[in-house]
Structures are given as structure tokens and as C-alpha cells.
């Protein structure tokens, strides 16, 4: 059973490392099918600044998905409807983790009165978001640590 809980910086300091590892491994081992090795290394660098990541995660206030106490995904929704992060553990893809997280984000958005959801999604994640009713706004090229990556701005109007 997939359980979704809120992130809590005070009681979940171990979450910081787990979320970084999950993001890192997803980019390096899943997104690599749509991006070059140089691009995924730029996107998920070998170096890890724990304090910067703690600050970023605390600010984005993600929802965390767990299965039997194992962190298997995380996603965030900002008050303006922006979904900045949405990652599922590589060993749990296709098992409903993403669906559960998306449902939780939509429920949170409904409570906040969000009229429009939007995200900058990878080539890999685009079909997933489109499955949930997101539509293409534009394709873009973004520079990350000297590498240019293609992603898409997708939105969902409610």
C-alpha cells in the first residue's frame, strides 16, 4: 500500500538524503533513455550540497510516497500551481506511485483553490503528465551546468 505524507524538516532529516538519492538515481538510471550521459550528469551531478538541498526541499515542502516505510517517490505543488519536482523511485515505476502522488497533488491544489497546474517536465515524464490531462504549452531548451536539455512546459486548467 502506498502511503503519502508531508515532509517535515524537523523530524525528517533522513528524508533529505533519501530524496536526493531517489532524484539522482531516477535521473541517472531512468531519464538516461531520453538524455545523453553528459546531460544526466549535469542534471544530477556527483557532488551533493546537503545544506542547499535541505533548504530547497524545505521551501518546496514536498509530499512523500512510501511503501512499507521505504521512500518511493516525492512531488511538490506550489501555491501558484507549479509542480517543481515529481520523482518516482526507479524500482517502483509502473506500480501506482506516480498516480498516487498526482492524486494527492490535485487534492492539495483543490484545497488551495489552484485553477491551473503547470510544470517543466522532461522528455521522459511528458507522457505521464499528458495521461493526467496536462497539455503542451511549449517545448524549450534549458541550460544546466553547461549542458542544454530539452523539456516541456505543460499545464492543466481545472
Amino acid at each position: 500500500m502506498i502511503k503519502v505524507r508531508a515532509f517535515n524538516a524537523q523530524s525528517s532529516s533522513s528524508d533529505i538524503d533519501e530524496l536526493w538519492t531517489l532524484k539522482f538515481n531516477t535521473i541517472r538510471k531512468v531519464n538516461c533513455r531520453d538524455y545523453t550521459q553528459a546531460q544526466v550528469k549535469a542534471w544530477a551531478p556527483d557532488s551533493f550540497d546537503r545544506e542547499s538541498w535541505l533548504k530547497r526541499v524545505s521551501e518546496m515542502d514536498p509530499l512523500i510516497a512510501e511503501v512499507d516505510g521505504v521512500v518511493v517517490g516525492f512531488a511538490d505543488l506550489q501555491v501558484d500551481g507549479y509542480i517543481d519536482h515529481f520523482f518516482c523511485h526507479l524500482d517502483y515505476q509502473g506500480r501506482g506511485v506516480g498516480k498516487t502522488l498526482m492524486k494527492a497533488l490535485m487534492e492539495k491544489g483543490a484545497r488551495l483553490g489552484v485553477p491551473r497546474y503547470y510544470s517543466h517536465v522532461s522528455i521522459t515524464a511528458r507522457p505521464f503528465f499528458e495521461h493526467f490531462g496536462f497539455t503542451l504549452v511549449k517545448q524549450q531548451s534549458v541550460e544546466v551546468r553547461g549542458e542544454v536539455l530539452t523539456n516541456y512546459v505543460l499545464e492543466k486548467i481545472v
Side-chain angles (χ1 to χ4, degrees):
M1 184 166 138
I2 302 164
K3 175 186 168 190
V4 176
R5 64 173 172 82
F7 171 77
N8 181 330
Q10 284 70 40
S11 65
S12 303
S13 64
S14 67
D15 282 345
I16 297 303
D17 297 323
E18 289 184 67
L19 296 182
W20 174 256
T21 300
L22 191 155
K23 177 181 175 177
F24 179 89
N25 286 331
T26 301
I27 293 168
R28 289 284 185 100
K29 297 177 181 176
V30 176
N31 295 102
C32 66
R33 69 178 181 234
D34 296 308
Y35 295 92
T36 68
Q37 192 65 22
Q39 289 171 321
V40 295
K41 283 185 174 186
W43 186 6
D46 291 321
S47 60
F48 170 54
D49 181 341
R50 193 173 194 282
E51 288 307 310
S52 294
W53 180 241
L54 172 61
K55 183 178 187 299
R56 185 156 186 205
V57 171
S58 296
E59 289 171 355
M60 74 173 143
D61 192 30
L63 296 176
I64 298 173
E66 294 182 332
V67 172
D68 298 325
V70 175
V71 175
V72 296
F74 72 99
D76 69 280
L77 176 67
Q78 303 309 304
V79 295
D80 68 348
Y82 181 54
I83 300 169
D84 187 17
H85 284 75
F86 200 113
F87 288 94
C88 294
H89 190 290
L90 68 111
D91 294 333
Y92 289 83
Q93 296 206 357
R95 297 186 185 184
V97 174
K99 179 181 179 179
T100 301
L101 279 170
M102 185 64 79
K103 181 181 176 195
L105 290 183
M106 295 296 130
E107 289 170 355
K108 180 178 180 178
R111 288 191 303 275
L112 294 172
V114 171
R116 172 185 175 255
Y117 299 89
Y118 67 102
S119 189
H120 299 198
V121 305
S122 67
I123 296 168
T124 315
R126 182 179 173 182
F128 172 82
F129 274 79
E130 289 176 336
H131 175 78
F132 287 95
F134 284 76
T135 58
L136 179 66
V137 174
K138 68 178 180 176
Q139 177 177 322
Q140 59 187 10
S141 297
V142 294
E143 186 174 333
V144 179
R145 294 178 189 86
E147 290 292 322
V148 178
L149 288 77
T150 297
N151 73 12
Y152 306 95
V153 177
L154 299 180
E155 71 177 0
K156 179 177 182 173
I157 309 294
V158 291

